[in-house]
Amino acid sequence: MSNNKHILEVCLSPDLGGLELYMSRCAKELLATFNVTSVIASRSKLLDYFHNTDLEYEQLKRKSSFSIVASMKLAKIIDKKGIDIIHLHWTKDIPIVVFAKLFSKRKPKIVQTRHMTMTRFKNDFYHKFLYRHIDTILCVTKQVEQQIQAFVPQEICPKTQTLYLGANSMKMLSNQEITAFKEELNVGDAFMIGLIGRINEFKGQHLLIEALKILKAKQLNVKAYIVGHAMSETYLEKLKQHVHENELEEQITFVGFTKEPQKFMQACDVVLMTSRNETFGLVTIEAMKCGTAVIGANSGGVLEIIDDEKSGLLFESGNAADLATKIEQLYNNEDLKEKLAFAGKQKADTMFDNSVQFEKLKDIFKQL
């Protein structure tokens, strides 16, 4: 039964990754309980996730983080739709959303899901002004919540709460389907490694290439698949050149973006999280729910997901040699790989299930 509250989901990011896809999932999941309208950027990569669906959405042209024109247009949407709560996701949207609230007649509450770390004090006049108008910040990890409480002055700090992201239960492929998929990818009998996410330097794809160089020198039968949209074509070309220079074309494949990352996760022997300081790591959660072993860097939100040598393995952040060692550990120990995969799935199903987390989000909105 629909609640009387009207929610506005806002994400004007030009990219397509975990943050943006979470916004589209919020729009879908909240629809059964609230009246939901979404606002995405003109020509947004999110358009495919709204077009030809029951989701109500508007497109807004955004030239910069500070745009009075964009704020005024958003304010008109707020008043037209009778919005009670604005739920924003991209930190760079804060100025547009705050000014839209001030320009609007309804003055809705602002809730931000904070996907990114906070690394500096927000005690200047401009940031104090912005954060004074945010009502609640939902933090994707406890670490992020601690950062906000440390860096935003107490007198204007919004209410904070940790709300983990969740993943859906996965449709599990049959052994025959996995075999057929691996044949398409030309995996053969190799140990299959997956690295799934946006391709940019922060995500650490170069570490995988360095690790594969080490593993190839040891004559291990491994193949790695890098899956995701390239945020920087320059960085992508640099990675491909690195692969070519080290004669790793047979070991490393760049797949590009896919709408079915779970197929790769289920086919893989191990899925990696190589980001230097990943805020959360939704891909890791999804891989765990797929029943696949995971290896992640020992920093950021990954530490709240992977219990080292219990639900996955951790390697020293930024250390390709240590990453290679952890991959080799699973390569040589099938029993350990299966043990970690089983425990990882149990933890993900218990702590990071999509339905559980969205029920918590709904309760938060009901209480505002």
Side-chain angles (χ1 to χ4, degrees):
M1 184 176 180
S2 180
N3 187 284
N4 287 330
K5 283 186 177 176
H6 292 250
I7 311 295
L8 188 67
E9 289 288 332
V10 176
C11 184
L12 302 178
S13 166
D15 299 314
L16 187 62
L19 181 153
E20 294 82 10
L21 293 175
Y22 177 69
M23 177 270 192
S24 69
R25 293 216 306 268
C26 284
K28 295 173 186 175
E29 295 287 342
L30 297 174
L31 193 59
T33 307
F34 304 100
N35 299 297
V36 182
T37 302
S38 298
V39 176
I40 60 177
S42 299
R43 300 177 183 175
S44 170
K45 293 183 178 72
L46 274 172
L47 186 59
D48 287 345
Y49 294 84
F50 287 87
H51 190 57
N52 291 329
T53 70
D54 293 333
L55 300 175
E56 185 176 335
Y57 70 96
E58 306 254 356
Q59 291 182 272
L60 189 65
K61 193 171 183 179
R62 174 195 177 279
K63 291 185 177 180
S64 67
S65 294
F66 186 82
S67 172
I68 294 297
V69 173
S71 293
M72 293 182 71
K73 289 181 178 179
L74 187 59
K76 289 181 179 179
I77 295 172
I78 291 168
D79 292 336
K80 177 183 175 183
K81 300 295 182 179
I83 299 301
D84 300 296
I85 299 170
I86 306 173
H87 185 202
L88 72 101
H89 300 262
W90 195 35
T91 302
K92 292 182 179 180
D93 287 337
I94 290 177
I96 291 174
V97 169
V98 166
F99 278 95
K101 171 181 178 176
L102 297 177
F103 290 147
S104 72
K105 297 176 182 178
R106 291 189 60 82
K107 305 296 185 287
K109 294 183 181 296
I110 297 176
V111 176
Q112 179 194 9
T113 290
R114 179 85 189 192
H115 296 261
M116 306 304 293
T117 55
M118 185 175 285
T119 56
R120 62 187 180 89
F121 289 103
K122 306 294 184 180
N123 54 0
D124 57 281
F125 174 79
Y126 176 67
H127 284 99
K128 282 184 177 181
F129 169 77
L130 292 179
Y131 281 95
R132 194 182 301 276
H133 293 283
I134 298 175
D135 297 274
T136 301
I137 299 180
L138 303 177
C139 310
V140 297
T141 64
K142 294 175 183 177
Q143 180 195 50
V144 171
E145 183 172 15
Q146 291 167 357
Q147 290 170 347
I148 289 172
Q149 292 173 349
F151 290 123
V152 179
Q154 185 176 359
E155 66 271 17
I156 54 95
C157 186
K159 177 183 177 183
T160 62
Q161 182 175 338
T162 297
L163 182 68
Y164 289 123
L165 304 183
N168 287 322
S169 297
M170 305 298 173
K171 179 184 177 183
M172 302 304 289
L173 301 177
S174 66
N175 290 334
Q176 291 84 354
E177 288 173 317
I178 290 176
T179 298
F181 184 54
K182 292 175 82 167
E183 286 178 358
E184 289 179 27
L185 297 171
N186 193 31
V187 178
D189 60 353
F191 186 87
M192 184 176 173
I193 303 165
L195 180 52
I196 303 164
R198 305 181 201 192
I199 297 178
N200 66 11
E201 193 163 357
F202 171 81
K203 292 291 186 180
Q205 284 87 3
H206 58 282
L207 293 173
L208 173 57
I209 296 173
E210 285 296 317
L212 261 288
K213 180 181 174 182
I214 296 169
L215 297 173
K216 181 185 178 183
K218 292 186 175 185
Q219 298 184 335
L220 271 61
N221 184 17
V222 295
K223 287 191 176 182
Y225 294 81
I226 298 176
V227 183
H229 162 71
M231 290 182 67
S232 167
E233 290 295 331
T234 301
Y235 178 63
L236 177 59
E237 288 306 312
K238 183 179 177 181
L239 292 176
K240 290 181 177 179
Q241 183 63 26
H242 197 184
V243 168
H244 176 71
E245 290 172 353
N246 289 283
E247 299 180 348
L248 292 170
E249 288 92 344
E250 293 296 318
Q251 286 75 35
I252 299 176
T253 300
F254 292 90
V255 178
F257 178 78
T258 176
K259 288 187 177 181
E260 298 181 302
Q262 293 83 7
K263 290 180 71 172
F264 282 91
M265 293 173 184
Q266 291 182 48
C268 285
D269 290 284
V270 61
V271 171
L272 309 180
M273 175 59 71
T274 54
S275 303
R276 183 170 291 275
N277 190 25
E278 187 70 36
T279 310
F280 181 66
L282 185 58
V283 167
T284 303
I285 296 300
E286 292 175 336
M288 291 164 72
K289 288 182 76 69
C290 284
T292 301
V294 294
I295 298 175
N298 63 347
S299 62
V302 176
L303 294 170
E304 296 179 39
I305 298 173
I306 297 176
D307 303 303
D308 193 25
E309 299 187 349
K310 294 179 181 178
S311 56
L313 294 180
L314 296 173
F315 74 96
E316 183 182 357
S317 180
N319 189 331
D322 193 38
L323 173 60
T325 297
K326 297 303 165 66
I327 294 172
E328 186 177 2
Q329 188 177 352
L330 296 188
Y331 178 93
N332 290 323
N333 194 332
E334 180 73 18
D335 289 342
L336 175 62
K337 187 188 77 168
E338 295 301 321
K339 174 186 172 183
L340 295 177
F342 180 78
K345 180 169 173 53
Q346 282 192 314
K347 181 173 183 179
D349 286 343
T350 302
M351 287 188 62
F352 304 112
D353 185 74
N354 214 26
S355 60
V356 172
Q357 300 305 323
F358 273 118
E359 283 304 313
K360 292 179 181 178
L361 180 61
K362 291 175 185 177
D363 287 341
I364 291 169
F365 284 169
K366 288 176 183 177
Q367 293 167 18
L368 285 175

